[in-house]
Amino acid sequence: MKTRMKQTVAALVAAGIGFAAAGAATAAESLQDVMKRRSLSQQDLLAAAKTYVPTGKRDEFVAFSSGGQSGQVIVYGIPSMRILKYIGVFTPEPWQGYGYDENSKAVLNQGMIDGKQITWGDTHHPAISETDGKYDGQFLFINDKANPRLAVIDLRDFETKQIVVNPIFKSEHGGAFVTPNTDYVIEAAQYASPLENKKFYPLEEFNEKYRGGVTYWKFDRKEGRIDPKQSFSLELPPYSQDLSDAGKGPSDGWSFTNSFCSERYVGGIEKGRPPYEAGCSAKDTDYLHVINWKKAAELVAKGMAKKINGHNVLAIETAVKEGVLFLIPEPKSPHGVDVTPDGKFITVAGKLDTHVSVYSFDKIQAAIKAGKFESKDAYGIPVIAMKDALHTQVQLGLGPLHTQYDSKQCLAYTSLYVDSQVVKWNFCEGKVLDKISVHYNIGHLMTMEGDSADPKGRYLVALNKLSIDRFVPVGPLHPQNHQLIDISNDKMQLLYDMPLPLGEPHYVVAIDAAKLKPGVRYKVGTDSRTDKPHPGAVRAGEEVTTKKGNKIEVKGTLIRSHITPETIEAEVGDEVTIHLTNLERAQDETHGFTVSTYNVHASVEPGKTVTVKFKADKEGVYPYYCTEFCSALHLEMQGYLLVKPKGWKATKTAGAEKAIYSEDDYKKQLKKVADTQAVIDQVVGYITSVNYKDFPDVVNMMDDAVDQLNKIKDAKAKHEDAAKKKDWNQATLWAEQVWQYQVKAADLGLRAKTYLEQNGAKKVK
Amino acid sequence: MKTRMKQTVAALVAAGIGFAAAGAATAAESLQDVMKRRSLSQQDLLAAAKTYVPTGKRDEFVAFSSGGQSGQVIVYGIPSMRILKYIGVFTPEPWQGYGYDENSKAVLNQGMIDGKQITWGDTHHPAISETDGKYDGQFLFINDKANPRLAVIDLRDFETKQIVVNPIFKSEHGGAFVTPNTDYVIEAAQYASPLENKKFYPLEEFNEKYRGGVTYWKFDRKEGRIDPKQSFSLELPPYSQDLSDAGKGPSDGWSFTNSFCSERYVGGIEKGRPPYEAGCSAKDTDYLHVINWKKAAELVAKGMAKKINGHNVLAIETAVKEGVLFLIPEPKSPHGVDVTPDGKFITVAGKLDTHVSVYSFDKIQAAIKAGKFESKDAYGIPVIAMKDALHTQVQLGLGPLHTQYDSKQCLAYTSLYVDSQVVKWNFCEGKVLDKISVHYNIGHLMTMEGDSADPKGRYLVALNKLSIDRFVPVGPLHPQNHQLIDISNDKMQLLYDMPLPLGEPHYVVAIDAAKLKPGVRYKVGTDSRTDKPHPGAVRAGEEVTTKKGNKIEVKGTLIRSHITPETIEAEVGDEVTIHLTNLERAQDETHGFTVSTYNVHASVEPGKTVTVKFKADKEGVYPYYCTEFCSALHLEMQGYLLVKPKGWKATKTAGAEKAIYSEDDYKKQLKKVADTQAVIDQVVGYITSVNYKDFPDVVNMMDDAVDQLNKIKDAKAKHEDAAKKKDWNQATLWAEQVWQYQVKAADLGLRAKTYLEQNGAKKVK
């Protein structure tokens, strides 16, 4: 028994190479058996075949979904509907270290309002950056309805880089929407309120003192950040502004924002008044706002805006006088205004009307040019008659809500909230083509790049709000249900039901996966939140801990499988700042870091430098460790923060280390190292015998393995040096450290070997 | 155009009933076409058929996964691998209102340490409550390694009910594991530290002053809570305790905890010492702790424990003297100790050894009985010789880590971290049966109920740590990869790759879905975090706002689609407490609630009462609204918090409301209401013409629809009363409100109708 136990890993590596399964072959289930057992129809099997993504293959499209009240963004693949990532945006999220390290806290703190930290968001409408009206896959924008803010996510690393607070609104629903070259990100108010910060007016003065509006955030693509100073807003009447869309092609330079409760009704059910839901939906129409944003930007540049809370706001009066703001009646309580891919038409659906209305940009322009208005609203804004602006209206069904477009000419899809259906229709001819029942109460829907100038067709996702009878029950709070629908044929086909496990998404955008080119590592020493070199970064061997007054600063490193330093000493009350650089180059070789009970956590991807900071306010011993399962010895990637009482003095000096290991132990280590090296050579022999250079992932693994082996040099020098001094403890342990590097290299070699075998590597001569 | 616009919803409902798709039928892709286009093999198609769950059907098993550093628990379905829910546990999560309402904050605050809020956790090992060693689906337990804590989740509503802080540890990895009837939940320490709170000892005194241990938390099943006063710990040497498992059947009353770094090595790479990873893995064996917990509990009951930080701790010395603590050598750096379903054997795998070791409980007992020990450790604990305790050792491969069992006799599965494989083997005969390569670097693995006394076989999930080349890239921080493997045949078959979008799961447990019976609503007025009536609950019509001094208390309600009250008035500096009761009975009819910029959010499921609280510290107008897309008019489910300057007096009194609506408007409303009623009658006619009572979900929908229609009575009385007084504003709006209730009823009727049509309802005579 003992003998077997002592067998080195080397023999097993060798054995593993030739391993073949020993189990007796028995007939597994056939496809027919499986279909029968699982009661699958032919249609089910077709849907399964259309959505299943085998191991190692990739999804075609990547969807970015608002996470609703989770305050995050959800990333999932289409057609598999597998969720790939939750990106921390408005809500702290410890896995990513978001809000638990100093660098990401700096981003979250940009979102403070009235001096208060806001630790969540009600995210609604994501938008991908565009070039010429087409998705370019560089940036993602997402809004917070509850606390009017907007966030910028860089799709190079899927991290939130900036949060801007709307300077004049108290809520905003209608963002984010980008102009065709992402010059501006559009964000409209929702519930009207006084624009002046911290200013109260009674509801009796609602019409006079409360206002809506739309903000045009200037985006600096080179910096990857919004430039608040170059941004401006347009004051609007206290209609509850809803969603927006930017014109494109012929309508570029214009934007469209719809509204509800243009009744300007103020509820008060507690006083016996009918509630908002009755008063805000009593009229047949609300107003579509038509805005010449390019001209508005020029007016602001000319100094024609007034400053409210330090922000440029173009007054209604100025906007009307200068001809940049118009209204058109639209069916009541709409949600979504959607410009057609060619930029010629604008579709609006009113949830309480049965029609979808298609407005013609040409007709709108003709009316404006001719000065043909049916009236002015109470704020003096010219109103274009609906009939003068409409291209067509199509009766779709109950609760039409949101429209997206197909790659095929003139084809549109609209969600029906009350009917729980998706309608496929032709917006040129005003004809309904197909309907499909979806799971209950669809809100938005989404086609691939379907709100861009170049929709990709193929798939549609229905964002259904309820999942009463769909999934295994998980308590009173259900997931929502995103249903995938195949739209490549005349008839729509339901493919997949996807539960949403966290948050209530409002809207989703999906991009061709090939357009995304995120990085796998950072340049060593990068602060990922600023994209700049991190001042706390150090290279291997340069790790240092300094103390100035009561401030301790650690510049440390992380690498499989140790943290440098392994001890941090402090006195009660010291402020401890720890900068950690992940020295790994290998893809996905992330390390985490935390200190027991000090409420910090960092996720340190290869090359990144992150800072955590806390006050060591309680005496005691606090383990710290790597929180990622980064290698076989990840549990040993540990250290201790020692918080001593003030003025503590050692009473026991560290004596000479006891001799635990002998020369024999050292020699055993040397034998193990030699055996393992032979095996590594054998694995390397296999890898270099095939065309491994044709597999970029394998080349990366080999680079990483070489990194590991290179680290041996230093540890080897140390054990040889100690052996010369007959310090068998040090000699044995540094030899063990050599073996640890070998195990990591062997691990990589085996991964590479499996990959090559499974992916049809060929012998090279 | 106008005429068409004015067409009532009624006609469309009628039209919708008979709607049939108008699109021309074209040949859609065949299965063969799809397989060719998507390059699917026959094996891929079989895997797709084995995992695809068609719309409306359910998964067979439900997995509860630790969320790793996300601090949450992940719930997913098997075999579809769709994530159903993230449960907020240690980290605030706004979608669930967790940490954003007062009731859940009370749970999170139980987890404070040293007076500090800890807003995250490093969750590791979930455990489902057991009865007779079998999963009973009632409760879930999960630990926090970083800040040693344990949480209790009630599976009736999937909510976290309790967090307990370990009173003596500074980190804990080895929890949660339950005893066979969930009398105790086992939680072992990880990195040794002084047991006394806030006590520093230098690392030079590691052997003398640092300690490990294992805590037995007493669980009160009736209360659904841990009872800290009845709980106790066992002091253990400063070996890094790792995972545990409770004995069952013949080994019931005993528990097993393994360890690493029994070298008691203290690193210090910054001082030139070999790192922990070398020093902690230098010896061939660590120690398996064998503990008679039933006897230990008796000793504690007899008063033989000492109090440390007010908690009962059984000293090593006492444990040794009373014969409740033993050690056995185990292969070095193990992770996981797993008792076989019959309770006869205990499996341990050492990550740096190539074998799995199967210990015999009988042999262990025989050695103890005979007093046959090979030695004592440095703390006087008797050590049973490995050879005296072993049933067998099996050479499996590189990096054996964790073992789970099959429903079939003697079958076990072990993960190989370095080889990235799963091994199927026979623990009775000590024979390897099959191996399958998984995606890189598997940590734990999990079979269905595979750590219970009654494993279900069928599926295995490999918890792989890296996803280098698997999914569409999402930046340097990758998801992890849970791979589903079919184990129902002799040969294992890989079925599915599942990315984990948030957190790094460590361990998962899965239960037969039929064993879970969560509720869909609360008894009206329940505080879900205490399971008791909420003192702030009110019924419809009893809503009230009171002010005492600077404290405002609102007892309000939520129902589709209004919040009562719709106005809350405060003065700057007031403390505002809002209790909200969701009056809905309908499944999944959740309302959310937030107040702009005050950083509160509540998720209010049907029947629940939740409290939010904040200081209205800034003058201004703050919209509040329902954050769930709860109905077609959810955007109108709004109100205003008005924060006035201190001493503000109205200068303008609310004048008489202007006459906006006329008698004609009122009459139009009445017509619309009558038309809609006719349609509702028609839908109801269809539903009652079929066997709808055979469909419980439909019966619920009908109940809900009747609820909606019942609300009409009050609104109808109001509009008729107003009409008598010729108050056409009030009359028109209350009539509109009647129609709003009708629309909600029609919505439900249409859902029910679709459901019946799709689920083969039959005509009743």
Side-chain angles (χ1 to χ4, degrees), chain B residues 412-470:
Chain B
Y413 301 85
T414 299
S415 53
L416 300 181
Y417 183 85
V418 178
D419 272 339
S420 294
Q421 291 187 316
V422 171
V423 192
K424 177 181 180 173
W425 57 286
N426 182 308
F427 63 82
C428 300
E429 297 168 25
K431 210 166 72 181
V432 170
L433 301 174
D434 189 25
K435 281 195 186 184
I436 187 168
S437 283
V438 293
H439 191 232
Y440 311 132
N441 297 74
I442 176 174
H444 281 273
L445 49 66
M446 184 266 296
T447 55
M448 305 303 98
E449 306 193 11
D451 57 13
S452 77
D454 186 24
K456 302 296 181 198
R458 301 290 302 282
Y459 303 106
L460 180 149
V461 176
L463 280 67
N464 310 327
K465 311 316 287 176
L466 303 175
S467 71
I468 294 169
D469 51 28
R470 286 301 107 158

Side-chain angles (χ1 to χ4, degrees), chain B residues 211-230:
Chain B
R211 286 292 176 271
V214 58
T215 299
Y216 297 85
W217 289 107
K218 178 73 184 161
F219 184 63
D220 181 334
R221 194 189 283 260
K222 205 170 132 264
E223 291 293 318
R225 302 291 187 280
I226 281 168
D227 182 353
K229 288 197 182 123
Q230 302 298 315

